[in-house]
Structure formats: structure tokens, C-alpha cells
Amino acid sequence: MRARDLLAPFPTVTFDTPVIEAARLLADQDLPGLIVVDDRGLPSSILPGTQVLRLAVPGYCQDDPTLARVVDEQHADVFLTSLAGRTVREALPVERRELPVTDPEATVLELAALMARTHSPLVAVVSGDRLLGAVTLQALVDGLLAP
Amino acid sequence: MRARDLLAPFPTVTFDTPVIEAARLLADQDLPGLIVVDDRGLPSSILPGTQVLRLAVPGYCQDDPTLARVVDEQHADVFLTSLAGRTVREALPVERRELPVTDPEATVLELAALMARTHSPLVAVVSGDRLLGAVTLQALVDGLLAP
């Protein structure tokens, strides 16, 4: 079994997609994360769902649990309002890390190691200059355990 | 909206659960991760799905993509066989990190910050000495975006 056998089409966003729209895509399609593509349609960044959340959390709350605690439920609106108008570009992390991207020939072991190492529940599959789709954690585990 | 409004019952595993059974639970119930409980039924470790995969990847392949590449599809069986007999205890990471655990009063912002910081798509909710359930990334995003 190779990546080509496990991949499925996967929706993408661009740098200009509003963050709120990206969050809705994640929620509506029950996605484990998002693929951000560049002008050529190739993966430029891949955000696990937990890191999409990061886009929505004010910096002063990221690392201080006590500050996050004092923002009560009446301020959840503020939380969402703060997203309005922000695009994926503005919200992307600055650091560059290994992207969970591979080719159709990747083995299941390679896919598992890549997901584990990058903490990403999805891996984009690229052939030449074309994004073929993605292998999700769920598809990989299902494939591995299939009789 | 608080953690108590977003939580749902969540299956747990113990240190003695075989890794293969833990993987099947993840696949069959489409879980974003696993909660490992101690003798008292309280969360001792919380593994995102990507880190459950790590339990299944031989050490020599974790950080070396070229080694993972050379293990071809005929060796996927070996990959699974290597799991046989291993329990969650043997496979848990050694390092101790912040656990994504909170109480029922946690705000949505607190939940989002905790998931982002710990890279965990689930947060266990504990009240006193009882595990009430978990808030998943999906439940949180759905709750945040609900009209």
C-alpha cells in the first residue's frame, strides 16, 4: 500500500482566504487540517486543526492559561469578531518547519513517520507540479488495519 | 459557552491496553486521539492521533525519511506485526509535557489556547476526581461557529 492508494481529494485554501472561512471549511467538512496553496496550486503550508485554532487565539492568551480563563463566555463574540477581516496570510506562523508533503510512492511507514514527526494528521500528496490530494490520519489507520 | 457545554463521553484506554487495540479504537470510532487513564480513571496521558502512530513506527524510521522510504508495501505486515504484544505503557513517550486537561468551567478561549499549545485535538474534562469526558477540536469549532 502506497500514498497513491490512500489519498483522496482535499479542499485547499489560499493566503487570501479569510480565517473565518477557513475555520468554517474545517468545521463543515470535518477536516483534520487545512492545506494552504500558493499561486501554482502547490502546498505552501499545512495547518493541523489545532494550529488553525491558534490563528484565532489572541497572542496574549496563547501561553498564559490564567488570561484565557478570565475571558468568560460573554466574550466569545469578541473572540470571533477578532477574526473578521483577517486572512490566512496574516495568521500563518512565521517559522518554517518540515511540511508534511510527499509523493504518490510513499510507503505506509513513511506516511506514518511523517505524520508523527510533523504532528500533522494529514499529508499532502504531490506529483511533479500537481497536488493530487491528501492522506488523512484516519485513512492511513483504516488502511493499516483493514483485513 | 464553557467546557461543560461542549464535552461528550470519550472512550479511554489504560497502560495495559495493547497498542493494536488502541489503534483499532481510534480507527473504528474516528477519534482524534486517545485518553490513557490511571488506576483511578483519571487522565495520565493524552495522545493525539499522530502520536498514536508514533507508537507504531520503529525508532530507526522516526526521523529518517530515507529509511522509511525503503520499507516497501510488502513490509507493511512487519510494521503491524511489530505492534503485536506491545502495550500502551511500553509505547508511551518518556518526556512529560503539559497535559490537555481542564475543568468544566474552562472558557472557549481557554480550550482553544490549550489545544493550540499542546497540539492536541482533544481536551479531557475533569471535575474533582472524575473524568467527565472530552471536548474535541471538532466540537469546539462547531460550537464557536454555531449561529
Side-chain angles (χ1 to χ4, degrees), chain A residues 97-128:
Chain A
R97 280 181 283 191
E98 181 187 14
L99 274 187
V101 175
T102 191
D103 62 86
E105 299 309 308
T107 63
V108 288
L109 189 53
E110 198 173 356
L111 289 165
L114 187 54
M115 284 186 191
R117 198 166 60 241
T118 59
H119 295 262
S120 175
L122 76 158
V123 166
V125 184
V126 169
S127 178

PDB file of all heavy atoms in Angstrom, chain A residues 97-128:
ATOM      1  N   ARG A  97       8.710  25.075   9.107  1.00  0.00           N
ATOM      2  CA  ARG A  97       9.015  23.733   9.578  1.00  0.00           C
ATOM      3  C   ARG A  97       8.882  22.762   8.419  1.00  0.00           C
ATOM      4  O   ARG A  97       8.403  23.126   7.351  1.00  0.00           O
ATOM      5  CB  ARG A  97       8.025  23.353  10.686  1.00  0.00           C
ATOM      6  CG  ARG A  97       8.419  23.968  12.011  1.00  0.00           C
ATOM      7  CD  ARG A  97       7.462  23.568  13.089  1.00  0.00           C
ATOM      8  NE  ARG A  97       6.218  24.334  12.999  1.00  0.00           N
ATOM      9  CZ  ARG A  97       5.287  24.325  13.945  1.00  0.00           C
ATOM     10  NH1 ARG A  97       5.428  23.592  15.015  1.00  0.00           N
ATOM     11  NH2 ARG A  97       4.180  25.050  13.811  1.00  0.00           N
ATOM     12  N   GLU A  98       9.290  21.520   8.663  1.00  0.00           N
ATOM     13  CA  GLU A  98       9.133  20.495   7.631  1.00  0.00           C
ATOM     14  C   GLU A  98       7.661  20.387   7.267  1.00  0.00           C
ATOM     15  O   GLU A  98       6.789  20.292   8.137  1.00  0.00           O
ATOM     16  CB  GLU A  98       9.626  19.144   8.163  1.00  0.00           C
ATOM     17  CG  GLU A  98       9.508  18.041   7.111  1.00  0.00           C
ATOM     18  CD  GLU A  98       9.827  16.644   7.653  1.00  0.00           C
ATOM     19  OE1 GLU A  98       9.880  16.462   8.877  1.00  0.00           O
ATOM     20  OE2 GLU A  98      10.020  15.748   6.845  1.00  0.00           O
ATOM     21  N   LEU A  99       7.374  20.433   5.970  1.00  0.00           N
ATOM     22  CA  LEU A  99       5.984  20.307   5.529  1.00  0.00           C
ATOM     23  C   LEU A  99       5.636  18.833   5.366  1.00  0.00           C
ATOM     24  O   LEU A  99       6.428  18.067   4.800  1.00  0.00           O
ATOM     25  CB  LEU A  99       5.794  20.994   4.176  1.00  0.00           C
ATOM     26  CG  LEU A  99       5.496  22.482   4.155  1.00  0.00           C
ATOM     27  CD1 LEU A  99       5.167  22.908   2.723  1.00  0.00           C
ATOM     28  CD2 LEU A  99       4.364  22.849   5.088  1.00  0.00           C
ATOM     29  N   PRO A 100       4.450  18.422   5.833  1.00  0.00           N
ATOM     30  CA  PRO A 100       4.019  17.051   5.578  1.00  0.00           C
ATOM     31  C   PRO A 100       3.519  16.884   4.143  1.00  0.00           C
ATOM     32  O   PRO A 100       2.329  16.876   3.862  1.00  0.00           O
ATOM     33  CB  PRO A 100       2.896  16.840   6.608  1.00  0.00           C
ATOM     34  CG  PRO A 100       2.381  18.208   6.911  1.00  0.00           C
ATOM     35  CD  PRO A 100       3.519  19.163   6.684  1.00  0.00           C
ATOM     36  N   VAL A 101       4.487  16.803   3.240  1.00  0.00           N
ATOM     37  CA  VAL A 101       4.197  16.647   1.814  1.00  0.00           C
ATOM     38  C   VAL A 101       5.010  15.468   1.309  1.00  0.00           C
ATOM     39  O   VAL A 101       6.180  15.324   1.673  1.00  0.00           O
ATOM     40  CB  VAL A 101       4.583  17.914   1.014  1.00  0.00           C
ATOM     41  CG1 VAL A 101       4.401  17.690  -0.486  1.00  0.00           C
ATOM     42  CG2 VAL A 101       3.767  19.114   1.466  1.00  0.00           C
ATOM     43  N   THR A 102       4.380  14.629   0.492  1.00  0.00           N
ATOM     44  CA  THR A 102       5.133  13.509  -0.051  1.00  0.00           C
ATOM     45  C   THR A 102       4.674  13.234  -1.484  1.00  0.00           C
ATOM     46  O   THR A 102       3.898  14.002  -2.060  1.00  0.00           O
ATOM     47  CB  THR A 102       5.000  12.254   0.850  1.00  0.00           C
ATOM     48  OG1 THR A 102       5.944  11.275   0.427  1.00  0.00           O
ATOM     49  CG2 THR A 102       3.600  11.680   0.808  1.00  0.00           C
ATOM     50  N   ASP A 103       5.147  12.145  -2.055  1.00  0.00           N
ATOM     51  CA  ASP A 103       4.764  11.794  -3.417  1.00  0.00           C
ATOM     52  C   ASP A 103       3.940  10.505  -3.393  1.00  0.00           C
ATOM     53  O   ASP A 103       3.855   9.839  -2.363  1.00  0.00           O
ATOM     54  CB  ASP A 103       6.023  11.634  -4.280  1.00  0.00           C
ATOM     55  CG  ASP A 103       6.895  10.522  -3.787  1.00  0.00           C
ATOM     56  OD1 ASP A 103       6.655   9.363  -4.173  1.00  0.00           O
ATOM     57  OD2 ASP A 103       7.817  10.795  -2.977  1.00  0.00           O
ATOM     58  N   PRO A 104       3.339  10.149  -4.524  1.00  0.00           N
ATOM     59  CA  PRO A 104       2.399   9.014  -4.530  1.00  0.00           C
ATOM     60  C   PRO A 104       3.038   7.677  -4.177  1.00  0.00           C
ATOM     61  O   PRO A 104       2.333   6.727  -3.833  1.00  0.00           O
ATOM     62  CB  PRO A 104       1.876   8.982  -5.976  1.00  0.00           C
ATOM     63  CG  PRO A 104       2.193  10.312  -6.562  1.00  0.00           C
ATOM     64  CD  PRO A 104       3.398  10.815  -5.845  1.00  0.00           C
ATOM     65  N   GLU A 105       4.359   7.596  -4.238  1.00  0.00           N
ATOM     66  CA  GLU A 105       5.034   6.328  -3.979  1.00  0.00           C
ATOM     67  C   GLU A 105       5.381   6.117  -2.507  1.00  0.00           C
ATOM     68  O   GLU A 105       5.944   5.092  -2.143  1.00  0.00           O
ATOM     69  CB  GLU A 105       6.313   6.237  -4.818  1.00  0.00           C
ATOM     70  CG  GLU A 105       6.081   6.277  -6.308  1.00  0.00           C
ATOM     71  CD  GLU A 105       5.035   5.266  -6.755  1.00  0.00           C
ATOM     72  OE1 GLU A 105       5.156   4.092  -6.407  1.00  0.00           O
ATOM     73  OE2 GLU A 105       4.069   5.689  -7.438  1.00  0.00           O
ATOM     74  N   ALA A 106       5.080   7.082  -1.663  1.00  0.00           N
ATOM     75  CA  ALA A 106       5.428   6.954  -0.245  1.00  0.00           C
ATOM     76  C   ALA A 106       4.783   5.708   0.356  1.00  0.00           C
ATOM     77  O   ALA A 106       3.616   5.409   0.088  1.00  0.00           O
ATOM     78  CB  ALA A 106       4.987   8.196   0.520  1.00  0.00           C
ATOM     79  N   THR A 107       5.551   4.985   1.173  1.00  0.00           N
ATOM     80  CA  THR A 107       5.033   3.776   1.823  1.00  0.00           C
ATOM     81  C   THR A 107       4.198   4.167   3.052  1.00  0.00           C
ATOM     82  O   THR A 107       4.265   5.291   3.537  1.00  0.00           O
ATOM     83  CB  THR A 107       6.200   2.889   2.304  1.00  0.00           C
ATOM     84  OG1 THR A 107       6.950   3.624   3.287  1.00  0.00           O
ATOM     85  CG2 THR A 107       7.116   2.521   1.156  1.00  0.00           C
ATOM     86  N   VAL A 108       3.444   3.192   3.572  1.00  0.00           N
ATOM     87  CA  VAL A 108       2.639   3.469   4.768  1.00  0.00           C
ATOM     88  C   VAL A 108       3.545   3.844   5.944  1.00  0.00           C
ATOM     89  O   VAL A 108       3.191   4.702   6.759  1.00  0.00           O
ATOM     90  CB  VAL A 108       1.752   2.267   5.167  1.00  0.00           C
ATOM     91  CG1 VAL A 108       0.610   2.101   4.188  1.00  0.00           C
ATOM     92  CG2 VAL A 108       2.554   0.989   5.292  1.00  0.00           C
ATOM     93  N   LEU A 109       4.693   3.227   6.006  1.00  0.00           N
ATOM     94  CA  LEU A 109       5.609   3.527   7.100  1.00  0.00           C
ATOM     95  C   LEU A 109       6.122   4.958   6.990  1.00  0.00           C
ATOM     96  O   LEU A 109       6.229   5.681   7.985  1.00  0.00           O
ATOM     97  CB  LEU A 109       6.778   2.533   7.062  1.00  0.00           C
ATOM     98  CG  LEU A 109       7.728   2.569   8.249  1.00  0.00           C
ATOM     99  CD1 LEU A 109       6.983   2.441   9.561  1.00  0.00           C
ATOM    100  CD2 LEU A 109       8.759   1.462   8.120  1.00  0.00           C
ATOM    101  N   GLU A 110       6.402   5.349   5.766  1.00  0.00           N
ATOM    102  CA  GLU A 110       6.869   6.712   5.519  1.00  0.00           C
ATOM    103  C   GLU A 110       5.779   7.732   5.885  1.00  0.00           C
ATOM    104  O   GLU A 110       6.052   8.766   6.501  1.00  0.00           O
ATOM    105  CB  GLU A 110       7.214   6.827   4.024  1.00  0.00           C
ATOM    106  CG  GLU A 110       8.097   7.993   3.689  1.00  0.00           C
ATOM    107  CD  GLU A 110       8.531   7.920   2.227  1.00  0.00           C
ATOM    108  OE1 GLU A 110       8.191   6.925   1.526  1.00  0.00           O
ATOM    109  OE2 GLU A 110       9.204   8.845   1.780  1.00  0.00           O
ATOM    110  N   LEU A 111       4.546   7.420   5.516  1.00  0.00           N
ATOM    111  CA  LEU A 111       3.427   8.307   5.844  1.00  0.00           C
ATOM    112  C   LEU A 111       3.262   8.424   7.363  1.00  0.00           C
ATOM    113  O   LEU A 111       3.070   9.520   7.898  1.00  0.00           O
ATOM    114  CB  LEU A 111       2.124   7.775   5.223  1.00  0.00           C
ATOM    115  CG  LEU A 111       2.015   7.895   3.703  1.00  0.00           C
ATOM    116  CD1 LEU A 111       0.877   7.013   3.185  1.00  0.00           C
ATOM    117  CD2 LEU A 111       1.767   9.346   3.297  1.00  0.00           C
ATOM    118  N   ALA A 112       3.332   7.278   8.046  1.00  0.00           N
ATOM    119  CA  ALA A 112       3.154   7.282   9.499  1.00  0.00           C
ATOM    120  C   ALA A 112       4.266   8.074  10.175  1.00  0.00           C
ATOM    121  O   ALA A 112       4.010   8.890  11.075  1.00  0.00           O
ATOM    122  CB  ALA A 112       3.124   5.850  10.027  1.00  0.00           C
ATOM    123  N   ALA A 113       5.499   7.858   9.728  1.00  0.00           N
ATOM    124  CA  ALA A 113       6.637   8.574  10.329  1.00  0.00           C
ATOM    125  C   ALA A 113       6.522  10.074  10.081  1.00  0.00           C
ATOM    126  O   ALA A 113       6.793  10.889  10.968  1.00  0.00           O
ATOM    127  CB  ALA A 113       7.955   8.034   9.767  1.00  0.00           C
ATOM    128  N   LEU A 114       6.074  10.437   8.874  1.00  0.00           N
ATOM    129  CA  LEU A 114       5.942  11.859   8.525  1.00  0.00           C
ATOM    130  C   LEU A 114       4.856  12.531   9.376  1.00  0.00           C
ATOM    131  O   LEU A 114       5.031  13.632   9.898  1.00  0.00           O
ATOM    132  CB  LEU A 114       5.615  11.977   7.027  1.00  0.00           C
ATOM    133  CG  LEU A 114       5.593  13.364   6.393  1.00  0.00           C
ATOM    134  CD1 LEU A 114       6.882  14.133   6.642  1.00  0.00           C
ATOM    135  CD2 LEU A 114       5.338  13.257   4.886  1.00  0.00           C
ATOM    136  N   MET A 115       3.709  11.856   9.534  1.00  0.00           N
ATOM    137  CA  MET A 115       2.634  12.407  10.376  1.00  0.00           C
ATOM    138  C   MET A 115       3.094  12.548  11.818  1.00  0.00           C
ATOM    139  O   MET A 115       2.827  13.551  12.478  1.00  0.00           O
ATOM    140  CB  MET A 115       1.400  11.505  10.336  1.00  0.00           C
ATOM    141  CG  MET A 115       0.593  11.620   9.051  1.00  0.00           C
ATOM    142  SD  MET A 115      -0.953  10.659   9.162  1.00  0.00           S
ATOM    143  CE  MET A 115      -1.492  10.724   7.457  1.00  0.00           C
ATOM    144  N   ALA A 116       3.790  11.521  12.316  1.00  0.00           N
ATOM    145  CA  ALA A 116       4.245  11.547  13.710  1.00  0.00           C
ATOM    146  C   ALA A 116       5.251  12.674  13.919  1.00  0.00           C
ATOM    147  O   ALA A 116       5.166  13.427  14.887  1.00  0.00           O
ATOM    148  CB  ALA A 116       4.853  10.202  14.095  1.00  0.00           C
ATOM    149  N   ARG A 117       6.189  12.805  12.962  1.00  0.00           N
ATOM    150  CA  ARG A 117       7.271  13.787  13.119  1.00  0.00           C
ATOM    151  C   ARG A 117       6.773  15.218  13.007  1.00  0.00           C
ATOM    152  O   ARG A 117       7.240  16.105  13.702  1.00  0.00           O
ATOM    153  CB  ARG A 117       8.322  13.503  12.039  1.00  0.00           C
ATOM    154  CG  ARG A 117       9.667  14.109  12.304  1.00  0.00           C
ATOM    155  CD  ARG A 117      10.724  13.513  11.377  1.00  0.00           C
ATOM    156  NE  ARG A 117      10.431  13.718   9.981  1.00  0.00           N
ATOM    157  CZ  ARG A 117      10.239  12.753   9.082  1.00  0.00           C
ATOM    158  NH1 ARG A 117      10.309  11.497   9.431  1.00  0.00           N
ATOM    159  NH2 ARG A 117       9.984  13.039   7.824  1.00  0.00           N
ATOM    160  N   THR A 118       5.815  15.438  12.106  1.00  0.00           N
ATOM    161  CA  THR A 118       5.333  16.807  11.891  1.00  0.00           C
ATOM    162  C   THR A 118       4.079  17.104  12.707  1.00  0.00           C
ATOM    163  O   THR A 118       3.519  18.183  12.606  1.00  0.00           O
ATOM    164  CB  THR A 118       5.024  17.045  10.392  1.00  0.00           C
ATOM    165  OG1 THR A 118       4.020  16.105   9.970  1.00  0.00           O
ATOM    166  CG2 THR A 118       6.271  16.854   9.536  1.00  0.00           C
ATOM    167  N   HIS A 119       3.614  16.128  13.480  1.00  0.00           N
ATOM    168  CA  HIS A 119       2.384  16.285  14.271  1.00  0.00           C
ATOM    169  C   HIS A 119       1.210  16.672  13.380  1.00  0.00           C
ATOM    170  O   HIS A 119       0.331  17.423  13.796  1.00  0.00           O
ATOM    171  CB  HIS A 119       2.554  17.345  15.365  1.00  0.00           C
ATOM    172  CG  HIS A 119       3.548  16.976  16.410  1.00  0.00           C
ATOM    173  ND1 HIS A 119       3.182  16.432  17.618  1.00  0.00           N
ATOM    174  CD2 HIS A 119       4.900  17.042  16.421  1.00  0.00           C
ATOM    175  CE1 HIS A 119       4.270  16.186  18.336  1.00  0.00           C
ATOM    176  NE2 HIS A 119       5.325  16.557  17.632  1.00  0.00           N
ATOM    177  N   SER A 120       1.214  16.181  12.147  1.00  0.00           N
ATOM    178  CA  SER A 120       0.152  16.562  11.219  1.00  0.00           C
ATOM    179  C   SER A 120      -0.755  15.381  10.887  1.00  0.00           C
ATOM    180  O   SER A 120      -0.277  14.345  10.417  1.00  0.00           O
ATOM    181  CB  SER A 120       0.759  17.098   9.919  1.00  0.00           C
ATOM    182  OG  SER A 120      -0.269  17.351   8.968  1.00  0.00           O
ATOM    183  N   PRO A 121      -2.066  15.528  11.119  1.00  0.00           N
ATOM    184  CA  PRO A 121      -2.990  14.445  10.795  1.00  0.00           C
ATOM    185  C   PRO A 121      -3.351  14.394   9.318  1.00  0.00           C
ATOM    186  O   PRO A 121      -4.278  13.693   8.935  1.00  0.00           O
ATOM    187  CB  PRO A 121      -4.215  14.760  11.660  1.00  0.00           C
ATOM    188  CG  PRO A 121      -4.174  16.241  11.835  1.00  0.00           C
ATOM    189  CD  PRO A 121      -2.731  16.673  11.744  1.00  0.00           C
ATOM    190  N   LEU A 122      -2.642  15.146   8.498  1.00  0.00           N
ATOM    191  CA  LEU A 122      -2.802  14.985   7.055  1.00  0.00           C
ATOM    192  C   LEU A 122      -1.481  15.230   6.347  1.00  0.00           C
ATOM    193  O   LEU A 122      -0.655  16.013   6.811  1.00  0.00           O
ATOM    194  CB  LEU A 122      -3.896  15.885   6.485  1.00  0.00           C
ATOM    195  CG  LEU A 122      -3.648  17.364   6.300  1.00  0.00           C
ATOM    196  CD1 LEU A 122      -4.608  17.934   5.266  1.00  0.00           C
ATOM    197  CD2 LEU A 122      -3.846  18.081   7.623  1.00  0.00           C
ATOM    198  N   VAL A 123      -1.323  14.515   5.233  1.00  0.00           N
ATOM    199  CA  VAL A 123      -0.120  14.643   4.408  1.00  0.00           C
ATOM    200  C   VAL A 123      -0.583  14.938   2.989  1.00  0.00           C
ATOM    201  O   VAL A 123      -1.431  14.220   2.449  1.00  0.00           O
ATOM    202  CB  VAL A 123       0.701  13.334   4.428  1.00  0.00           C
ATOM    203  CG1 VAL A 123       1.755  13.317   3.335  1.00  0.00           C
ATOM    204  CG2 VAL A 123       1.351  13.122   5.788  1.00  0.00           C
ATOM    205  N   ALA A 124      -0.064  16.012   2.407  1.00  0.00           N
ATOM    206  CA  ALA A 124      -0.408  16.348   1.030  1.00  0.00           C
ATOM    207  C   ALA A 124       0.415  15.478   0.088  1.00  0.00           C
ATOM    208  O   ALA A 124       1.586  15.203   0.348  1.00  0.00           O
ATOM    209  CB  ALA A 124      -0.142  17.824   0.757  1.00  0.00           C
ATOM    210  N   VAL A 125      -0.202  15.031  -0.988  1.00  0.00           N
ATOM    211  CA  VAL A 125       0.497  14.192  -1.960  1.00  0.00           C
ATOM    212  C   VAL A 125       0.632  14.969  -3.267  1.00  0.00           C
ATOM    213  O   VAL A 125      -0.360  15.389  -3.859  1.00  0.00           O
ATOM    214  CB  VAL A 125      -0.251  12.867  -2.199  1.00  0.00           C
ATOM    215  CG1 VAL A 125       0.551  11.978  -3.144  1.00  0.00           C
ATOM    216  CG2 VAL A 125      -0.507  12.149  -0.876  1.00  0.00           C
ATOM    217  N   VAL A 126       1.886  15.174  -3.669  1.00  0.00           N
ATOM    218  CA  VAL A 126       2.192  15.984  -4.845  1.00  0.00           C
ATOM    219  C   VAL A 126       2.932  15.118  -5.852  1.00  0.00           C
ATOM    220  O   VAL A 126       3.803  14.329  -5.479  1.00  0.00           O
ATOM    221  CB  VAL A 126       3.070  17.192  -4.442  1.00  0.00           C
ATOM    222  CG1 VAL A 126       3.625  17.905  -5.666  1.00  0.00           C
ATOM    223  CG2 VAL A 126       2.270  18.161  -3.573  1.00  0.00           C
ATOM    224  N   SER A 127       2.533  15.269  -7.113  1.00  0.00           N
ATOM    225  CA  SER A 127       3.264  14.595  -8.187  1.00  0.00           C
ATOM    226  C   SER A 127       3.699  15.651  -9.192  1.00  0.00           C
ATOM    227  O   SER A 127       2.858  16.338  -9.779  1.00  0.00           O
ATOM    228  CB  SER A 127       2.363  13.560  -8.859  1.00  0.00           C
ATOM    229  OG  SER A 127       3.054  12.960  -9.924  1.00  0.00           O
ATOM    230  N   GLY A 128       5.003  15.799  -9.362  1.00  0.00           N
ATOM    231  CA  GLY A 128       5.508  16.846 -10.249  1.00  0.00           C
ATOM    232  C   GLY A 128       5.046  18.192  -9.718  1.00  0.00           C
ATOM    233  O   GLY A 128       5.351  18.558  -8.595  1.00  0.00           O
TER     234      GLY A 128
END
